[in-house]
Amino acid sequence: MTHTKKKQPVAPRANLTMADLAELAGVSKITVSRALSESPLVNAETRERVQALARKHGYKLNVSARNLRLRRSHTVAVIVEMKPSSGRTMWDPYPLSLLGGISQELTSAGYSVLLTTRQGATDAPVQAADGIILLGQGAHQDAVRFYDRLGMPMVVWGAAEQGGDNHIVVGSDNRQGGISAAERFVSIGRRHPVFIGNPDHPEMAQRLFGFVDELANHGIKPLLLRRAEFTLESGIEAVRSLSDRKVRFDAIFACSDLLAMGAIRALVELGQSVPNDVSVIGYDDTPLGASFLPPLSTVRQNWQEGGVLLARKVLAQIHGQTVQSQMMATTLVVRAT
Amino acid sequence: MTHTKKKQPVAPRANLTMADLAELAGVSKITVSRALSESPLVNAETRERVQALARKHGYKLNVSARNLRLRRSHTVAVIVEMKPSSGRTMWDPYPLSLLGGISQELTSAGYSVLLTTRQGATDAPVQAADGIILLGQGAHQDAVRFYDRLGMPMVVWGAAEQGGDNHIVVGSDNRQGGISAAERFVSIGRRHPVFIGNPDHPEMAQRLFGFVDELANHGIKPLLLRRAEFTLESGIEAVRSLSDRKVRFDAIFACSDLLAMGAIRALVELGQSVPNDVSVIGYDDTPLGASFLPPLSTVRQNWQEGGVLLARKVLAQIHGQTVQSQMMATTLVVRAT
DNA sequence: CGATATCAAGATATCGATATCATTGATGCA
DNA sequence: TGCATCAATGATATCGATATCTTGATATCG
């Protein structure tokens, strides 16, 4: 006595193949393939018949087989690489906002998004992709180099660094953001501005440079206040430390909206008026900042658009075109602070 | 004169195969395959030699070929399906928080995450996966049915509905969340509570039911205030409408922290004291609520853990085990409101 | 009418890996 | 010595799709 049919532990659904379909339709595999891919090489009547059969039996294309034959996977790996120092959850909302645009653009181009963090032991999944989008939060040059040597099309989000052999960089124009903030402060007559942020982070460093340079044009030298965290608490604490040190200041440029809101809260506690005594500009234009009281002035980055741009650039690279790094404009949104 | 080598537009890197490696090592393909997969069937010395060669030449496994042969992709499709009504960006942070746990768990199990929205014309990419995780925001029963008939292992995030043939449901215990809020209000002597949220959304409906039922045990009937949006503005507006209608109330259970914060802001504007006149409980325990003034009481859902659970359940299904739907406990976090 | 396009479909090879069965030489044991 | 056992490796078939080259039938043209 023999087992005629083994128990199938994994996927009991018996998928039928093109060969099966071919037999059912009384044609060859290749004709089925052509019919399903709308090739003009098959008779219209045949095509209809095959397609109807495929629908009827719930035929599913075996993507692996097709990928193998075509030598491409129609997949782009999106690697979310955060600064390894912060052992916290890898999922600050920031890089995720880009994901919207990325996913939208890739999907509509017929590509899939393979989401990865670096922690994965193997790079096998990444190598299966046709290209790479690397999202990181500063200080990840080692990651860039690591993936760069895979020799795959790659686009990195961030501050414009050199841009290696295979990869290019897309990011928002942080320097311009810093300049805008400086211009605003100058135009409303502030003379003692403070910068709150973390210059070790390349993107923030750009903001700082823009800020400092523009202010220098007007003979102003801002105070740099380092903060590693971009939370509300960190902002509160930052302003308190300024107050403790009896520092005189009349403007704050913070590297995130949360930081800015924290700062404002601390200022109010200290009896300072915003924006009369101290003017505050945040960064990111989060929805929260807009409905904060008072509504927060901020530098806007368009994440959605950034994601779309990232996607377009990888796709272009995959299609063999030469593409260039690009910085996206930032906008100063002046509200009440 | 003939072209001996065509220009390769896409990927100029000539990947070498196991066959190449075999030739280099003077063994057969199979031996290479075995050596690279640490099979005990090859001599240790041979294994080392092959592996060294692979490293030296930067050999990359062709994942498509392996997937084809092994008839599995080691990939789980994560489908982010939002309520189609809201034409807004599909990327509220909510489902994305789950992504952290999902990605972490799947990656460490050697699986990849294929990220998708439904908008993609084809389901081909999804069908290439070994399983599906469906993240949605209420009112997506049609989506569930759609993917259910693919006959693949599937886990859905949300309120426990029937749970179809192939899929099970994981979510947080919204009903319990509602009960906790009710208990709290009762225990501090509130008699006129209001519920703000959207009962069309299954998860919110559960919260409402729990809330209503528990209050009923104490002879209290809450007021239901429908709000479709979960923003700060919506919360503000909700309280104003209550005030306009001269409704008497002493407690608010809001379906999101933002809603709650908006409500508090409106209450303060109206000269009401929180929590003396009106007690407020939010939902989600966002970091923002914790640092709000006054710090917000809220019902906490553990997203990270939810993601992990989702991932574990699909994997179990993929491995042929029978798994069951599960609701995760919620915690009432009592702060100042 | 014969030669040549044109159209529809099929035969075969191939993508790169792994499962299965077969082979080889060395060793153990009676 | 003879035969079973075992360790290491190889030959071959196979996963399911598509590219390339053919084939056969029909249409077109000078």
Side-chain angles (χ1 to χ4, degrees):
Chain A
M1 180 180 171
T2 55
H3 287 281
T4 51
K5 195 171 183 178
K6 266 199 204 153
K7 191 186 162 200
Q8 292 181 318
V10 179
R13 61 205 158 104
N15 281 339
L16 69 177
T17 73
M18 280 197 174
D20 302 331
L21 222 47
E23 194 166 0
L24 286 170
V27 296
S28 70
K29 307 192 294 177
I30 202 65
T31 303
V32 173
S33 172
R34 287 172 180 144
L36 294 180
S37 59
E38 307 288 343
S39 158
L41 288 175
V42 291
N43 183 298
E45 187 271 330
T46 312
R47 177 174 357 117
E48 290 304 329
R49 193 157 47 88
V50 170
Q51 290 187 354
L53 260 150
R55 271 193 302 275
K56 180 180 162 198
H57 291 86
Y59 166 77
K60 293 166 197 159
L61 179 74
N62 182 317
V63 181
S64 297
R66 183 223 243 132
N67 286 348
L68 172 58
R69 181 67 243 233
L70 297 180
R71 295 148 147 268
R72 54 139 182 69
S73 64
H74 267 206
T75 288
V76 170
V78 175
I79 302 170
V80 181
E81 166 86 10
M82 308 307 276
K83 52 168 188 263
S85 54
S86 87
R88 286 204 325 274
T89 163
M90 293 252 161
W91 296 90
D92 294 64
Y94 141 54
L96 295 182
S97 327
L98 290 166
L99 221 44
I102 293 175
S103 160
Q104 176 189 307
E105 190 67 15
L106 288 181
T107 310
S108 69
Y111 276 70
S112 307
V113 178
L114 191 74
L115 191 65
T116 314
T117 62
R118 175 115 102 102
Q119 59 169 331
T122 337
D123 0 315
V126 169
Q127 293 176 354
D130 294 335
I132 297 179
I133 293 177
L134 185 53
L135 307 184
Q137 188 168 265
H140 59 293
Q141 281 312 111
D142 51 336
V144 173
R145 269 189 297 274
F146 177 84
Y147 288 110
D148 220 4
R149 69 168 173 63
L150 292 182
M152 300 169 60
M154 174 159 99
V155 180
V156 177
W157 173 265
E161 310 263 333
Q162 66 288 353
D165 304 327
N166 302 291
H167 83 269
I168 57 159
V169 179
V170 168
S172 67
D173 193 337
N174 289 286
R175 191 181 152 76
Q176 180 55 51
I179 293 176
S180 305
E183 284 173 347
R184 166 78 185 158
F185 286 157
V186 167
S187 78
I188 58 175
R190 307 286 157 157
R191 306 288 303 174
H192 305 286
V194 177
F195 176 98
I196 308 181
N198 178 13
D200 294 338
H201 180 140
E203 299 184 52
M204 312 249 163
Q206 293 296 327
R207 293 176 202 169
L208 175 60
F209 296 157
F211 191 62
V212 168
D213 290 355
E214 178 60 23
L215 287 172
N217 291 341
H218 299 85
I220 301 176
K221 189 160 179 302
L223 179 69
L224 165 61
L225 197 58
R226 305 185 88 92
R227 288 292 125 154
E229 298 294 319
F230 307 137
T231 60
L232 209 102
E233 285 76 15
S234 180
I236 293 176
E237 184 196 294
V239 165
R240 286 197 185 136
S241 87
L242 284 176
S243 160
D244 290 349
R245 285 152 52 198
K246 312 267 184 214
V247 176
R248 181 169 144 219
F249 62 97
D250 56 10
I252 294 178
F253 176 36
C255 266
S256 88
D257 279 1
L258 275 179
L259 225 39
M261 290 188 271
I264 293 174
R265 206 144 102 184
L267 287 169
V268 171
E269 275 176 20
L270 292 167
Q272 304 259 52
S273 152
V274 175
N276 290 342
D277 298 333
V278 180
S279 180
V280 178
I281 295 179
Y283 215 103
D284 286 346
D285 192 22
T286 54
L288 244 78
S291 40
F292 189 73
L293 278 182
L296 185 67
S297 300
T298 189
V299 177
R300 170 184 298 163
Q301 322 193 51
N302 192 335
W303 300 111
Q304 177 79 10
E305 190 187 318
V308 169
L309 208 55
L310 282 166
R312 291 225 180 106
K313 299 248 175 193
V314 223
L315 289 178
Q317 271 192 70
I318 291 173
H319 296 328
Q321 300 160 20
T322 346
V323 289
Q324 303 200 314
S325 294
Q326 184 173 338
M327 291 292 104
M328 296 190 321
T330 53
T331 329
L332 177 67
V333 181
V334 178
R335 298 205 182 92
T337 63
Chain B
M1 179 179 173
T2 55
H3 288 281
T4 51
K5 194 169 185 181
K6 266 198 203 154
K7 191 185 161 198
Q8 293 180 318
V10 179
R13 60 205 158 104
N15 280 340
L16 70 178
T17 73
M18 281 197 173
D20 302 331
L21 221 47
E23 194 165 1
L24 286 170
V27 297
S28 71
K29 304 193 297 179
I30 294 303
T31 303
V32 172
S33 172
R34 287 174 180 144
L36 294 180
S37 58
E38 306 289 343
S39 160
L41 288 175
V42 291
N43 183 299
E45 187 271 331
T46 312
R47 180 177 352 121
E48 289 304 328
R49 193 158 47 89
V50 171
Q51 291 187 354
L53 260 149
R55 271 193 302 275
K56 179 179 163 197
H57 291 86
Y59 166 77
K60 292 168 198 158
L61 179 74
N62 183 317
V63 180
S64 297
R66 184 226 243 131
N67 286 347
L68 171 58
R69 180 67 243 234
L70 298 181
R71 297 149 147 270
R72 54 142 182 66
S73 64
H74 268 205
T75 288
V76 170
V78 175
I79 303 169
V80 181
E81 167 84 11
M82 308 308 276
K83 52 170 188 262
S85 54
S86 87
R88 285 205 325 274
T89 163
M90 293 251 160
W91 296 90
D92 295 64
Y94 142 53
L96 294 183
S97 326
L98 290 166
L99 221 44
I102 294 175
S103 159
Q104 176 189 308
E105 191 66 15
L106 287 181
T107 310
S108 68
Y111 276 70
S112 307
V113 178
L114 190 73
L115 191 66
T116 314
T117 62
R118 176 113 103 102
Q119 60 170 331
T122 336
D123 358 315
V126 169
Q127 291 175 354
D130 295 336
I132 296 179
I133 293 177
L134 186 53
L135 306 183
Q137 190 167 263
H140 60 294
Q141 281 311 111
D142 51 335
V144 172
R145 270 190 296 274
F146 176 84
Y147 289 110
D148 221 6
R149 68 167 174 64
L150 292 182
M152 299 170 59
M154 173 159 98
V155 181
V156 177
W157 174 264
E161 310 263 334
Q162 68 287 352
D165 304 328
N166 302 291
H167 83 268
I168 58 160
V169 179
V170 168
S172 68
D173 193 338
N174 288 286
R175 190 181 154 77
Q176 180 55 50
I179 292 177
S180 306
E183 284 173 347
R184 166 78 186 159
F185 286 158
V186 167
S187 78
I188 58 175
R190 307 287 157 157
R191 307 287 304 175
H192 306 286
V194 177
F195 176 98
I196 307 180
N198 178 13
D200 294 338
H201 180 138
E203 299 185 52
M204 311 249 163
Q206 292 296 328
R207 294 175 202 169
L208 176 60
F209 296 156
F211 191 61
V212 168
D213 290 354
E214 178 60 23
L215 288 172
N217 291 342
H218 298 83
I220 301 176
K221 188 161 179 301
L223 178 69
L224 165 61
L225 197 58
R226 304 186 89 93
R227 288 294 126 152
E229 298 293 320
F230 307 136
T231 59
L232 208 104
E233 285 76 14
S234 180
I236 292 176
E237 184 196 295
V239 165
R240 287 199 184 133
S241 87
L242 284 175
S243 159
D244 290 351
R245 285 153 51 197
K246 312 268 185 212
V247 175
R248 180 169 143 221
F249 62 98
D250 57 9
I252 294 179
F253 176 35
C255 268
S256 89
D257 279 1
L258 275 180
L259 224 39
M261 290 188 271
I264 292 174
R265 205 143 103 184
L267 286 169
V268 171
E269 275 176 18
L270 292 168
Q272 304 259 51
S273 151
V274 175
N276 290 342
D277 299 333
V278 180
S279 179
V280 179
I281 295 179
Y283 215 104
D284 286 346
D285 191 23
T286 53
L288 244 78
S291 40
F292 190 72
L293 279 182
L296 184 68
S297 301
T298 189
V299 176
R300 168 184 298 163
Q301 321 194 50
N302 191 335
W303 299 111
Q304 176 79 8
E305 189 187 319
V308 170
L309 208 55
L310 283 166
R312 292 224 180 106
K313 300 249 176 193
V314 224
L315 289 178
Q317 271 191 71
I318 290 173
H319 297 327
Q321 301 159 19
T322 345
V323 289
Q324 303 199 315
S325 293
Q326 184 173 341
M327 291 292 104
M328 297 191 322
T330 53
T331 328
L332 178 67
V333 181
V334 178
R335 297 206 183 91
T337 64

